[in-house]
Amino acid sequence: MDQNLALYFNNDLEPYMSVRKVARELTDLGYSDKYFLFAVFLILTPLMFRYFYMRDPTWGPLSFHWGNKLLLSLTGAGAVVHIIKFVIGRARPHKTPQFNPGTFDHFLFDSHFHSMPSGHSQTIFVLVA
């Protein structure tokens, strides 16, 4: 099904460009790098506050706790998803011959065969959980 959708929205006709732009913006929400940086910020902020002001902030333990929780959740879930991607080896739609949905090459390190499960979805689920 995803190959048909990719073909449908892959043309450069104007009516579809707005749908494509919205889809790209939603996909970009799933990039985990900004959430990793936010987690590190939550962890380091109370430590920096303690270092520069010589006292613990009242919000420090809560910030440290949530930063650690977010960092460990993103790392753990990301590791599991990437192991599953490596084992399944489903090709991305644009890399398959004639958009063949049955293209699987297991245990490859090529990122073009790490299409499923979605790492972007994993990031969003970690954030809402």
Side-chain angles (χ1 to χ4, degrees):
M1 184 171 109
D2 58 346
Q3 284 85 359
N4 293 332
L5 286 173
L7 282 174
Y8 183 73
F9 289 112
N10 201 24
N11 56 29
D12 291 329
L13 300 175
E14 186 59 36
Y16 303 116
M17 292 308 287
S18 61
V19 173
R20 194 173 183 185
K21 185 177 179 182
V22 170
R24 175 53 54 195
E25 293 296 324
L26 288 173
T27 298
D28 290 347
L29 286 176
Y31 284 128
S32 62
D33 52 355
K34 57 184 162 264
Y35 305 114
F36 274 108
L37 288 174
F38 182 65
V40 170
F41 173 78
L42 287 176
I43 293 168
L44 291 180
T45 301
L47 299 175
M48 298 295 284
F49 193 89
R50 182 188 315 162
Y51 179 78
F52 287 112
Y53 295 107
M54 304 301 176
R55 63 186 174 94
D56 288 331
T58 56
W59 45 265
L62 186 64
S63 174
F64 192 80
H65 170 74
W66 281 100
N68 278 330
K69 191 175 184 179
L70 179 60
L71 188 65
L72 291 174
S73 297
L74 285 170
T75 304
V80 169
V81 164
H82 279 76
I83 289 169
I84 294 170
K85 284 181 179 212
F86 180 72
V87 171
I88 292 176
R90 181 161 187 297
R92 298 189 186 280
H94 65 279
K95 290 296 179 181
T96 60
Q98 293 84 31
F99 285 91
N100 181 6
T103 304
F104 292 89
D105 275 325
H106 312 288
F107 305 109
L108 289 179
F109 288 104
D110 184 3
S111 65
H112 292 297
F113 291 90
H114 296 169
S115 174
M116 184 180 82
S118 170
H120 292 88
S121 298
Q122 166 260 316
T123 300
I124 297 300
F125 276 107
V126 164
L127 291 175
V128 298

